[in-house]
Amino acid sequence: MKSKILFLVALLAATTWLGAGDDSLRNYYATRNLTLDEAVLIALQQNPDILRALQNIQRTRGLVIEVRSQALPQISAIGVYNQQDKRLLRDFGGGGVSSGAQTSPTPATSGTTAATGETTTTSSSSGQAVATSFGQQDKSWQVMIQGRQVIYSGALGPAIRLAKFAQDSAYWSLRDTIDTVIATTRRQFYDVLLDRELIKVQQESVELLGSQLKDQQNRFEAGTVPRFNTLQAEVALANAQPALIAARNNYLVAQLTLAKTLGLGASKDHPGAAPINAVGNLDVEARDFDIPAALETAHARRPFLKVQRLQILQEVEDVKVQFAGFQPTISVNGGYEFRNSRSTTALDEVVDGWFFGATGSWNIWDSGGTYGRIKEARAKLETAKTTYEDSQHQVDLEVQQAVLNLRQARETLASQQKTVQQALEAERLARERLSAGAGVQLDVLNAQVQLTQARSTELQARHDYKAAFAEFERVTATATQYEETFNDPLTRRQQRAAERDASIRIKK
């Protein structure tokens, strides 16, 4: 079964995810049977990795707004109120005579200012300093409305593009997380189905061995078989019990593991019970896959690779940001100011007016700091390119492994399906021979063990095929369908090459 889920549905599901305190909804999902598609939808709603990836998108959106605001006008209102001890004003003013200066005395004049009621004394002469003392305020206030705009900065443009690339990267990281969660949910769902079927196989084996023990006990009581046969049947039955116990435990663990991926916690009423009941089977429709076509699809669609390509673009812009350290920064500011008059002690005497200014800065020499940051940014760029190449190889390996695992599981399943039929026939013949007195009990026990092994191997092959198919769809990014919005540089390059080839063919 192939899950094809639109990204819009995923986002809608994620935005309406079940809250941690909504026990009624959680119990609804915990007490009903779940198909594979329902389990995937719940994972899209509640899986913590998807929720964290969604919040990372919101974080990068905020980063874009923050960086872009630096290129837009900024208006601020400033209010200031000051008050100081009057003792600090006592020594205000003063005068003196320069040492060695030739002065001639002149009459001094004195008077009382009408505004402050304090005495002002002024003396002057040729070559002599003038000392003046005014009454001073111990309180002052100021209100200013100021606007600021950056006219030129070499770092703003690259910084904005870098933030937008980071936002795109967060989006593609979310898509990669969604693909991973879907594949994980499907594999764990298949684990539950496998362990449930293995319980049936082990239970049938125990029942067969139990019937064999009962038959041997009846024969022993009738005196047709020795005590050894009964003991042998008892040991075989006892040896089969641990496998059944382990299968039941593995089934419960698989259910709990799947529940954790779906974001479902333990039930308050039954904390040790399975919170879900998986509904489905391990039916397989075998297919063949072409590795070259799968590799081409993976390179074109994998969100993981697009994140790596966006990382390269981010590092390119970071180099430009560091280069801006060699460039000037120019900004202008202006506004209107209200304050109390400095010529009087009255606070209600208001002086107002406009102001305007410009600020420019240019770091002429920083002892190699900018050069060092540029080298660091270039090294990070080369590292991103190397990481992208390695990621391509990693994708190649994942696709090749997935296809090979599919082929192995398909071949194993084909071989074991025939083996199960042969083991069933061998077990039937062994029982008939024993009943007719032509066979021995050990043949029956061996046939039952081989039948159990063949059934278990056949179920495991079914599980492996479906799990490998889920992994194949993850590594080729074909499990989900999205509306492409990212202008991928790789896609652009391939499109230009196709258009160029088409134009050449037309000219010919």
Side-chain angles (χ1 to χ4, degrees):
M1 179 171 46
K2 185 175 182 180
S3 299
K4 292 196 172 185
I5 304 169
L6 294 176
F7 183 64
L8 179 61
V9 175
L11 283 180
L12 178 61
T15 54
T16 59
W17 66 285
L18 302 178
D22 197 343
D23 292 333
S24 62
L25 286 176
R26 286 182 176 273
N27 290 334
Y28 169 73
Y29 281 111
T31 55
R32 67 187 288 245
N33 297 331
L34 289 181
T35 63
L36 176 58
D37 289 338
E38 291 172 334
V40 169
L41 287 176
I42 294 176
L44 293 175
Q45 293 171 343
Q46 300 187 164
N47 183 267
D49 293 336
I50 292 179
L51 298 180
R52 282 190 289 265
L54 283 170
Q55 292 305 315
N56 191 41
I57 289 181
Q58 298 299 324
R59 180 189 65 82
T60 54
R61 285 178 179 173
L63 179 62
V64 171
I65 296 173
E66 176 187 357
V67 175
R68 188 173 53 198
S69 67
Q70 300 176 14
L72 300 176
Q74 300 182 9
I75 300 175
S76 59
I78 303 172
V80 179
Y81 175 80
N82 288 319
Q83 184 173 353
Q84 56 184 335
D85 196 320
K86 293 182 179 180
R87 290 175 295 180
L88 299 175
L89 306 174
R90 290 177 180 176
D91 297 332
F92 179 81
V97 179
S98 301
S99 176
Q102 300 294 328
T103 62
S104 58
T106 58
T109 61
S110 63
T112 303
T113 61
T116 64
E118 295 185 4
T119 302
T120 301
T121 303
T122 303
S123 61
S124 61
S125 62
S126 177
Q128 184 175 353
V130 179
T132 306
S133 177
F134 296 99
Q136 295 296 306
Q137 301 174 359
D138 60 342
K139 302 176 182 178
S140 65
W141 60 269
Q142 179 183 11
V143 176
M144 181 190 311
I145 299 178
Q146 177 177 336
R148 181 178 179 274
Q149 172 66 57
V150 176
I151 299 299
Y152 177 78
S153 176
L156 276 180
I160 293 174
R161 290 191 293 271
L162 191 153
K164 290 182 178 179
F165 287 145
Q167 181 181 359
D168 292 339
S169 179
Y171 165 75
W172 287 99
S173 295
L174 170 63
R175 285 185 45 166
D176 186 60
T177 301
I178 289 176
D179 290 346
T180 301
V181 169
I182 291 176
T184 301
T185 301
R186 294 171 65 185
R187 288 196 301 268
Q188 292 177 354
F189 194 91
Y190 298 144
D191 290 342
V192 174
L193 298 182
L194 171 64
D195 291 330
R196 186 178 65 192
E197 294 301 320
L198 289 178
I199 290 177
K200 296 179 182 179
V201 171
Q202 297 299 331
Q203 185 67 45
E204 291 179 0
S205 176
V206 169
E207 291 175 356
L208 286 174
L209 292 174
S211 64
Q212 183 66 23
L213 172 61
K214 186 176 181 180
D215 178 70
Q216 293 300 313
Q217 287 175 341
N218 293 335
R219 289 173 180 268
F220 173 73
E221 292 174 358
T224 58
V225 296
R227 173 63 177 164
F228 174 77
N229 285 25
T230 304
L231 292 176
Q232 195 174 35
E234 289 176 350
V235 171
L237 178 61
N239 288 337
Q241 292 292 340
L244 176 60
I245 295 171
R248 289 172 175 170
N249 183 73
N250 292 338
Y251 178 56
L252 179 57
V253 171
Q255 288 178 306
L256 296 175
T257 302
L258 176 60
K260 192 268 180 186
T261 301
L262 302 184
L264 298 174
S267 173
K268 295 181 180 179
D269 298 331
H270 305 285
I276 59 174
N277 181 33
V279 177
N281 52 61
L282 292 174
D283 292 342
V284 170
E285 181 181 354
R287 298 169 52 188
D288 197 8
F289 299 92
D290 183 22
I291 291 183
L295 290 174
E296 183 178 356
T297 301
H299 281 272
R301 293 179 57 90
R302 275 293 293 273
F304 171 67
L305 292 180
K306 297 186 179 184
V307 170
Q308 299 299 327
R309 292 197 285 271
L310 279 168
Q311 185 63 37
I312 294 176
L313 297 179
Q314 291 180 62
E315 298 302 340
V316 170
E317 297 302 326
D318 187 48
V319 172
K320 297 178 182 179
V321 169
Q322 303 309 324
F323 259 110
F326 291 132
Q327 301 173 355
T329 300
I330 302 174
S331 62
V332 295
N333 64 87
Y336 208 84
E337 179 181 358
F338 301 86
R339 63 175 175 82
N340 64 311
S341 176
R342 301 292 189 263
S343 62
T344 176
T345 57
L347 291 178
D348 56 353
E349 291 290 336
V350 179
V351 177
D352 62 288
W354 59 270
F355 61 91
F356 175 82
T359 303
S361 63
W362 197 339
N363 198 0
I364 302 299
W365 174 250
D366 61 356
S367 298
T370 301
Y371 176 73
R373 289 188 290 271
I374 292 174
K375 285 185 65 67
E376 180 182 357
R378 284 176 171 172
K380 291 169 62 178
L381 174 59
E382 294 302 321
T383 300
K385 292 179 180 179
T386 303
T387 302
Y388 173 64
E389 293 179 0
D390 183 64
S391 299
Q392 288 181 304
H393 299 159
Q394 178 65 29
V395 169
D396 293 343
L397 176 61
E398 291 176 353
V399 172
Q400 292 167 342
Q401 285 181 333
V403 173
L404 293 177
N405 290 338
L406 279 168
R407 291 177 179 176
Q408 176 186 352
R410 183 186 61 191
E411 294 173 1
T412 303
L413 177 60
S415 65
Q416 290 304 303
Q417 285 176 337
K418 185 177 181 179
T419 302
V420 169
Q421 299 299 324
Q422 294 173 340
L424 281 171
E425 182 64 15
E427 191 268 343
R428 183 185 67 81
L429 293 176
R431 283 189 289 107
E432 290 181 354
R433 284 170 56 83
L434 180 63
S435 299
V440 296
Q441 182 190 17
L442 183 60
D443 293 338
V444 177
L445 296 177
N446 288 337
Q448 291 174 345
V449 170
Q450 292 173 358
L451 175 60
T452 301
Q453 182 178 357
R455 283 176 170 174
S456 299
T457 304
E458 194 257 351
L459 286 172
Q460 186 67 50
R462 290 177 178 272
H463 165 273
D464 292 346
Y465 184 88
K466 296 182 77 69
F469 185 70
E471 178 65 10
F472 173 81
E473 290 193 318
R474 183 192 73 84
V475 298
T476 56
T478 54
T480 51
Q481 292 179 344
Y482 303 94
E483 180 182 355
E484 296 291 346
T485 58
F486 169 51
N487 192 9
D488 193 333
L490 177 63
T491 305
R492 291 201 310 267
R493 186 165 60 249
Q494 293 174 345
Q495 184 177 2
R496 287 196 299 266
E499 292 175 352
R500 184 172 59 253
D501 294 341
S503 63
I504 293 175
R505 287 195 297 267
I506 292 175
K507 291 179 181 179
K508 290 183 178 179

